[in-house]
C-alpha cells in the first residue's frame, strides 16, 4: 500500500528559529510536491521536486528530495509568523494521481 | 485567467438529498481531479479525468459520480448524501510537461445533516 507520512503533525516554533518537516513515502516515484494551505483556504503549490538530490529554495523555505531514502524535507530558516500554515507533501503516483501526507500544522509564535 | 473555479462555496444538505458540485478551469488542462479533505487529514482522491471523455475512480469513490462535460468542466455528483460525506471538496487541474503540477480550486464546504 502506498503511504505518505509526515512528521511532525504539529509544530510550534518561535520566530527566528530553524526547523525541518519530514516526508517519508513507501514506494518509488519521480515527483514529490509540497503545498501550503492557510486556514479555510485552498492549496498553494510551493515546490515540485523531480529527481534524486533535487533542492529548491524560495525565501525561508527549502525543499529537498532523496529518492533512495524515500524522503523529502522542507526546511524552514529563521521562521516568521507569516509562515504559519499547514504544509502538505504529496507523491506523484500512477497517472499523476497525488497521494497526500496528513499535513504538518506549523504555528510560529512571536 | 480565473484558474480553477468551484461552485457553490458552501452547501448544507439533509441526508438523502442530492447535489452536483461544479468545477471549471480556463488553463486548457487535459486532466482534472476531485478530492475531499476531512479535518486533520490530507486530501484523498475521489475521481479523476485524464482527458475529455474519460473518468476513473480514485481512492474513495463510493457514493459519488462524476461527469467530464467538456475540456473545461468536471462535475461531482452526490446522489444520496450521507453525513459521512461532510467534508471540504477540492477540484484540481493538471499541467502537462515534466512538472505535472496540480492547481486547486477554492473548495466547496459541504455539510450533510
Amino acid at each position: 500500500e502506498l503511504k505518505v507520512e509526515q512528521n511532525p503533525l504539529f509544530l510550534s516554533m518561535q520566530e527566528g528559529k530553524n526547523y525541518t518537516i519530514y516526508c517519508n513515502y513507501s514506494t518509488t516515484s519521480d515527483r514529490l510536491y509540497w503545498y501550503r494551505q492557510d486556514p479555510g483556504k485552498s492549496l498553494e503549490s510551493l515546490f515540485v521536486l523531480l529527481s534524486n538530490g533535487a533542492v529548491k529554495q524560495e525565501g525561508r523555505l527549502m525543499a529537498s528530495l532523496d529518492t533512495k531514502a524515500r524522503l523529502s524535507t522542507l526546511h524552514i530558516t529563521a521562521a516568521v509568523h507569516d509562515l504559519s500554515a499547514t504544509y502538505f507533501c504529496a507523491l506523484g503516483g500512477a497517472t499523476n494521481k497525488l497521494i497526500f501526507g496528513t499535513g504538518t500544522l506549523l504555528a510560529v509564535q512571536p | 485567467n480565473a484558474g480553477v473555479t468551484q461552485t457553490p462555496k458552501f452547501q448544507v444538505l439533509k441526508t438523502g438529498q442530492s447535489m452536483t458540485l461544479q468545477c471549471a478551469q480556463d488553463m486548457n488542462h487535459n486532466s482534472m481531479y476531485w478530492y475531499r479533505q476531512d479535518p486533520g487529514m490530507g486530501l484523498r482522491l475521489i475521481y479523476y479525468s485524464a482527458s475529455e471523455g474519460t473518468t476513473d475512480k480514485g481512492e474513495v469513490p463510493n457514493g459519488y459520480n462524476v461527469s467530464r462535460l467538456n475540456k473545461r468542466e468536471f462535475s461531482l455528483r452526490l446522489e444520496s448524501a450521507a453525513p459521512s460525506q461532510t467534508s471540504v471538496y477540492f477540484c484540481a487541474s493538471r499541467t502537462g510537461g515534466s512538472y505535472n503540477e496540480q492547481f486547486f480550486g477554492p473548495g466547496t464546504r459541504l455539510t450533510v445533516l
Side-chain angles (χ1 to χ4, degrees):
Chain A
E1 182 187 354
L2 178 57
K3 286 187 177 180
V4 180
E5 295 182 341
Q6 283 182 241
N7 68 83
L9 297 182
F10 177 70
L11 177 57
S12 178
M13 55 190 299
Q14 287 186 313
E15 282 190 328
K17 299 292 187 182
N18 304 332
Y19 211 84
T20 300
I21 299 170
Y22 297 89
C23 175
N24 292 274
Y25 52 95
S26 61
T27 190
T28 57
S29 173
D30 57 359
R31 292 182 187 85
L32 193 293
Y33 303 83
W34 283 96
Y35 286 89
R36 168 182 172 145
Q37 185 179 37
D38 292 304
K41 302 293 185 181
S42 185
L43 279 76
E44 173 191 357
S45 179
L46 294 175
F47 301 108
V48 182
L49 302 170
L50 298 182
S51 60
N52 188 44
V55 177
K56 289 195 173 179
Q57 183 163 4
E58 180 73 31
R60 301 174 188 275
L61 300 177
M62 183 174 71
S64 65
L65 179 62
D66 181 344
T67 57
K68 294 179 181 177
R70 297 180 185 172
L71 171 69
S72 181
T73 61
L74 181 66
H75 186 73
I76 303 147
T77 301
V80 293
H81 181 68
D82 284 352
L83 290 179
S84 296
T86 299
Y87 293 85
F88 292 96
C89 65
L91 196 65
T95 62
N96 297 297
K97 294 182 286 187
L98 291 181
I99 308 298
F100 280 83
T102 50
T104 296
L105 176 59
L106 173 66
V108 181
Q109 312 294 341
Chain B
N1 285 352
V4 180
T5 58
Q6 292 182 236
T7 56
K9 287 187 169 53
F10 301 93
Q11 183 71 48
V12 179
L13 294 178
K14 294 181 180 178
T15 297
Q17 287 185 317
S18 63
M19 79 162 294
T20 299
L21 282 64
Q22 306 287 353
C23 174
Q25 52 93 8
D26 62 2
M27 297 177 281
N28 202 36
H29 292 163
N30 286 321
S31 299
M32 297 183 73
Y33 304 80
W34 275 106
Y35 295 88
R36 60 177 288 173
Q37 183 179 30
D38 299 306
M41 297 181 68
L43 278 68
R44 292 183 292 168
L45 182 65
I46 305 171
Y47 270 94
Y48 67 101
S49 170
S51 61
E52 186 178 354
T54 68
T55 60
D56 277 294
K57 296 178 181 179
E59 183 184 358
V60 289
N62 291 345
Y64 304 95
N65 285 300
V66 291
S67 295
R68 184 73 184 269
L69 305 170
N70 48 55
K71 191 171 186 178
R72 289 186 64 250
E73 298 172 290
F74 187 36
S75 63
L76 178 72
R77 183 161 177 83
L78 287 71
E79 292 290 351
S80 179
S84 61
Q85 294 178 304
T86 294
S87 189
V88 181
Y89 292 85
F90 289 99
C91 176
S93 69
R94 180 176 64 81
T95 65
S98 57
Y99 285 124
N100 283 314
E101 195 171 357
Q102 291 190 21
F103 293 92
F104 288 81
T108 294
R109 189 173 297 273
L110 175 67
T111 300
V112 183
L113 303 175

